[in-house]
Amino acid sequence: MLEKTFYKQLLKRSFSVPVKVVFWDDSSVVFGKGEPQVTITFNEKLPIRAVTQNASIALGEAYMDKKIEITGTGDRPIQTIINDAYQQAGSFMRDSKLRRFLPKQSHGEQESQTDIQSHYDVGNNFYKLWLDDTLTYSCAYFTNGNTDDLYAAQVAKVHHILQKLNPQPGKTLLDIGCGWGTLMLTAAKEYNLKVTGVTLSEEQYNLVQKRILDEGLSDVAEVKLVDYRELGDRQWDYITSVGMFEHVGEENLGLYFKDVARYLKDDGVALIHGITRQQGGAYNGWINKYIFPGGYIPGLTEIINHIVNADLQVTDVEMLRRHYQRTLEIWDTNFNAHREEIQADKGRRFTRMWDLYLQACAASFESGNIDVVQYLITKGASGTGLPMTRGYMLTDK
């Protein structure tokens, strides 16, 4: 009885959309008015202590283990209720008392390598199932009617980033956290830049190295399996880094931007693209434990302060929140189209975990809890060497 009363009070404050909750004894309650859009079924009692210690970990694990089921009328019922919960002032998604006891964070070079490999070395074949053919695992950029064409949107994102640099042929570019290489190799092939990519993922490194050899780019492109902090005294004209600073840790953000400044030539230009919270930095216990060990989402002003403290200057800032929401929704659709195959290979718990992750992240962007931001920064006076207006960024490629 105590557990049921606790969950009724917890969930009553968390939803405005009509939600039906079915408890372990088959009793039920409906929150909100109208026909329920989502049903939450507790197959087992969950210890109150676990939820009060950290709701995201306790409820996330319960979903992974089928102690909770979430069903609904739409394609993404998890996204529906998490988006709604983020917007309710008293909900478990926003109650700081329910987000305590985070896993210990450490971001030395060995820890960083272990963290990155635990996520990105799940296997290239896994990511190929639900990413597009560019194998780009970051926010796409949807323009001019390509709303549902993920490949076109990822190609557009790469060009949007590179065009912001106003790159000049023959100059050099460093891509910190190069992923599977689409951005750096596009820069080499279509912008005539000499490019270097760095990653800590062996799976990514092997695929990028193969692409360089297969495409005959060895004279203009190289990839290194190395920590970005260990690049010596080399400098580049341009730096890109997409979806990287979320991995370095709160305590290392200042050093990350100082390394960007160290590797950037005088009057060089960098485009840093990453997830940011306008409301301030935050951790998520479940995502840190199961998806991105060591992850930290920094605040908007926090990032700006680190840029300025590294003697860099901000030239342009662009928010792409809605683009990442749409990207994640397409990823989740693709993921579920291959759900049986993934489950046969990785197991039910893993499959439920990733579906929850994709839908929860889409909800977090949809609600405005997190954003994704492109920071165009320069080493030297802001905008020196760049066109006077932003029109050059929008030229179709």
Side-chain angles (χ1 to χ4, degrees):
M1 184 66 179
L2 178 63
E3 290 90 347
K4 193 185 300 184
T5 301
F6 170 78
Y7 285 111
K8 283 182 179 179
Q9 291 300 316
L10 179 73
L11 298 174
K12 180 180 180 180
R13 303 193 305 268
S14 300
F15 304 119
S16 62
V17 299
V19 174
K20 181 179 181 180
V21 179
V22 180
F23 293 103
W24 44 88
D25 61 0
D26 291 330
S27 63
S28 64
V29 61
V30 174
F31 300 114
K33 297 180 180 180
E35 187 70 21
Q37 298 178 24
V38 177
T39 297
I40 302 172
T41 301
F42 286 82
N43 293 321
E44 298 181 23
K45 290 182 184 179
L46 303 183
I48 293 175
R49 178 176 175 80
V51 176
T52 55
Q53 282 186 334
N54 192 297
S56 71
I57 292 177
L59 298 175
E61 289 178 339
Y63 181 80
M64 290 161 60
D65 294 328
K66 293 198 75 173
K67 295 177 181 179
I68 293 176
E69 290 285 6
I70 300 172
T71 56
T73 56
D75 292 335
R76 285 175 288 276
I78 296 171
Q79 180 180 342
T80 297
I81 61 169
I82 292 181
N83 171 48
D84 188 51
Y86 268 125
Q87 299 182 59
Q88 310 311 312
S91 83
F92 69 90
M93 296 300 296
R94 298 182 62 176
D95 188 343
S96 62
K97 297 189 295 295
L98 301 177
R99 294 187 281 115
R100 298 173 294 173
F101 304 106
L102 291 166
K104 182 179 178 181
Q105 305 288 307
S106 180
H107 297 90
E109 291 187 18
Q110 183 57 55
E111 290 86 358
S112 294
Q113 182 174 9
T114 300
D115 291 346
I116 292 298
Q117 290 180 353
S118 73
H119 186 84
Y120 294 99
D121 286 354
V122 172
N124 290 341
N125 290 336
F126 167 68
Y127 287 103
K128 286 177 181 178
L129 289 175
W130 51 275
L131 298 179
D132 66 286
D133 288 344
T134 69
L135 272 182
T136 302
Y137 185 31
S138 57
C139 173
Y141 183 62
F142 295 93
T143 62
N144 299 328
N146 63 354
T147 306
D148 295 308
D149 187 339
L150 182 59
Y151 175 84
Q154 291 291 12
V155 170
K157 186 271 298 294
V158 167
H159 288 297
H160 192 51
I161 288 172
L162 292 171
Q163 286 167 192
K164 284 186 175 185
L165 301 173
N166 195 37
Q168 302 304 305
K171 292 197 171 185
T172 57
L173 178 141
L174 169 66
D175 191 17
I176 300 175
C178 65
W180 287 277
T182 294
L183 188 151
M184 59 175 283
L185 298 182
T186 300
K189 292 185 292 185
E190 299 190 40
Y191 292 82
N192 298 315
L193 299 179
K194 297 178 181 178
V195 301
T196 301
V198 296
T199 179
L200 287 174
S201 164
E202 292 186 3
E203 292 269 344
Q204 291 180 342
Y205 169 80
N206 291 334
L207 191 144
V208 176
Q209 185 63 45
K210 183 176 186 301
R211 290 184 66 183
I212 289 171
L213 295 173
D214 289 348
E215 298 179 38
L217 297 172
S218 297
D219 56 337
V220 293
E222 62 176 349
V223 61
K224 293 180 174 293
L225 184 65
V226 65
D227 192 287
Y228 74 94
R229 291 167 282 195
E230 300 299 331
L231 295 176
D233 297 326
R234 289 182 65 182
Q235 290 187 313
W236 288 263
D237 298 293
Y238 311 109
I239 293 176
T240 52
S241 188
V242 180
M244 170 65 189
F245 65 58
E246 303 95 310
H247 294 292
V248 306
E250 182 178 8
E251 75 278 16
N252 284 333
L253 274 168
L255 296 174
Y256 167 83
F257 282 101
K258 287 180 180 178
D259 280 330
V260 170
R262 178 162 64 95
Y263 297 138
L264 202 57
K265 293 181 181 179
D266 291 342
D267 296 325
V269 184
L271 190 289
I272 310 298
H273 168 126
I275 300 172
T276 310
R277 289 188 82 244
Q278 296 200 28
Q279 306 91 325
Y283 297 90
N284 179 282
W286 181 79
I287 287 180
N288 275 78
K289 185 174 181 179
Y290 287 100
I291 304 296
F292 285 114
Y296 169 71
I297 304 301
L300 179 63
T301 57
E302 182 181 4
I303 289 289
I304 298 295
N305 285 334
H306 285 309
I307 292 171
V308 173
N309 290 337
D311 291 327
L312 298 165
Q313 292 205 3
V314 179
T315 292
D316 188 83
V317 175
E318 182 177 12
M319 279 65 176
L320 297 174
R321 177 184 63 82
R322 294 169 64 195
H323 294 264
Y324 217 156
Q325 175 193 340
R326 185 66 190 125
T327 303
L328 282 152
E329 289 169 351
I330 296 174
W331 284 346
D332 189 64
T333 297
N334 294 346
F335 181 90
N336 278 289
H338 294 278
R339 190 180 186 104
E340 291 184 4
E341 182 178 350
I342 293 169
Q343 183 164 311
D345 183 40
K346 302 292 187 182
R348 185 186 70 186
R349 194 170 193 260
F350 176 95
T351 305
R352 290 173 68 87
M353 177 181 76
W354 269 83
D355 187 27
L356 174 60
Y357 157 63
L358 293 171
Q359 290 196 54
C361 286
S364 200
F365 282 108
E366 183 178 10
S367 67
N369 178 59
I370 54 177
D371 207 330
V372 62
V373 182
Q374 290 187 348
Y375 304 87
L376 186 66
I377 57 183
T378 57
K379 186 176 181 179
S382 175
T384 298
L386 294 173
M388 291 286 282
T389 66
R390 300 180 78 251
Y392 80 96
M393 301 179 185
L394 306 176
T395 302
D396 290 335
K397 181 72 176 179

